[in-house]
Amino acid sequence: MAKEIGVLFVCLGNICRSPQAEGIFRKLVADAGLRDRFDIDSAGTGGWHAGEAPDWRTQAASERHGIPLPHRARLFEVGDFDRFDHILAMDRSNLRDILALARDDADRHKVRLLRELDPLADVVSVPDPYYGDGDGFERVFQICLAACRGLLRELTARHRRTPSGPIDPA
Ligand code: 4NP
C-alpha cells in the first residue's frame, strides 16, 4: 500500500545534495517514530550518474554524523509527480527543470525549494559542493539538516491525525 506522505528531494546529479537530504530526513522521521507514514526518496534532473552511489565526499560527511547513504542515483521522471506529495528542489535551477516537466497546477503545487523550510536561512539555495573543497560537504550537511527539521515540523503539523483516525487536512 502507498505510504501516506511521499517526499522527494531533487538536485542535479543526485550524488551530493539530494541523497544527503534524503538520508537526513529518513533519520529524522525514524527518530520521530514516523517511518511507516513516509515514502522518502531522491532523484536528479540530470541522468549522468544514474546507478551510482553518492559521491564519496558526501558519504564521508554523512557517515561522520552516523547516517549511511545506501541510495543509488536516478533521474527525476514525470511519474514522480504521481508518487510524491512534496518535491523539494535544492536550487532554482533544479526548481525550473522540475517545473518544466509539470503537467498541471496540481504537479506544480508540489514543488518547493528545500531551504525555504529553514526559518533561519537567508538564501534559498543549497550550494552545489561538487567542484569545491571538503568543507562544502559538511556545510551541505548542516544546511540540509536545518531545512529537513523545518520540513518535518511542517509536515507533522499539516498531516496531523485527529483522534478519530483520518488525517486532519488543516
Ligand atoms: P548534486 O551535485 O547535484 O548535488 O548531486 C552534482 C553532482 C554532479 C554534477 C553536478 C552536480 N556533475 O556535473 O556531474
Side-chain angles (χ1 to χ4, degrees):
M1 199 185 85
K3 301 268 178 83
E4 188 182 326
I5 311 166
V7 178
L8 181 69
F9 299 93
V10 182
C11 62
L12 177 60
N14 193 212
I15 55 169
C16 296
R17 294 165 292 174
S18 62
Q20 181 63 89
E22 177 199 342
I24 290 170
F25 194 66
R26 277 187 193 284
K27 173 81 164 66
L28 295 178
V29 163
D31 287 352
L34 297 170
R35 207 179 345 218
D36 291 349
R37 297 181 62 191
F38 282 88
D39 178 15
I40 304 165
D41 198 5
S42 65
T45 57
W48 318 282
H49 296 282
E52 292 179 17
D55 186 284
W56 68 270
R57 298 162 295 177
T58 296
Q59 293 194 53
S62 195
E63 280 168 13
R64 270 198 302 277
H65 294 278
I67 301 179
L69 300 176
H71 182 74
R72 287 293 176 274
R74 72 168 178 89
L75 185 63
F76 177 85
E77 54 191 25
V78 172
D80 287 320
F81 287 114
D82 299 322
R83 178 176 159 198
F84 297 98
D85 308 293
H86 304 276
I87 298 173
L88 289 313
M90 298 297 134
D91 63 33
R92 290 186 193 282
S93 162
N94 310 146
L95 186 78
R96 248 192 327 272
D97 291 343
I98 299 165
L99 289 175
L101 295 173
R103 299 158 298 187
D104 53 26
D105 280 347
D107 286 354
R108 276 186 280 279
H109 286 142
K110 294 181 175 188
V111 190
R112 289 183 284 172
L113 285 162
L114 174 66
R115 219 172 167 187
E116 287 182 346
L117 279 302
D118 176 359
L120 298 179
D122 50 6
V123 294
V124 291
S125 288
V126 180
D128 186 346
Y130 189 65
Y131 293 107
D133 59 22
D135 289 352
F137 290 82
E138 174 61 23
R139 210 171 115 61
V140 164
F141 183 95
Q142 296 299 337
I143 288 169
C144 289
L145 177 60
C148 282
R149 283 184 172 136
L151 176 63
L152 185 57
R153 251 193 321 272
E154 189 211 274
L155 296 185
T156 48
R158 194 196 286 205
H159 294 268
R160 197 175 51 238
R161 281 181 171 154
T162 63
S164 57
I167 303 161
D168 177 357

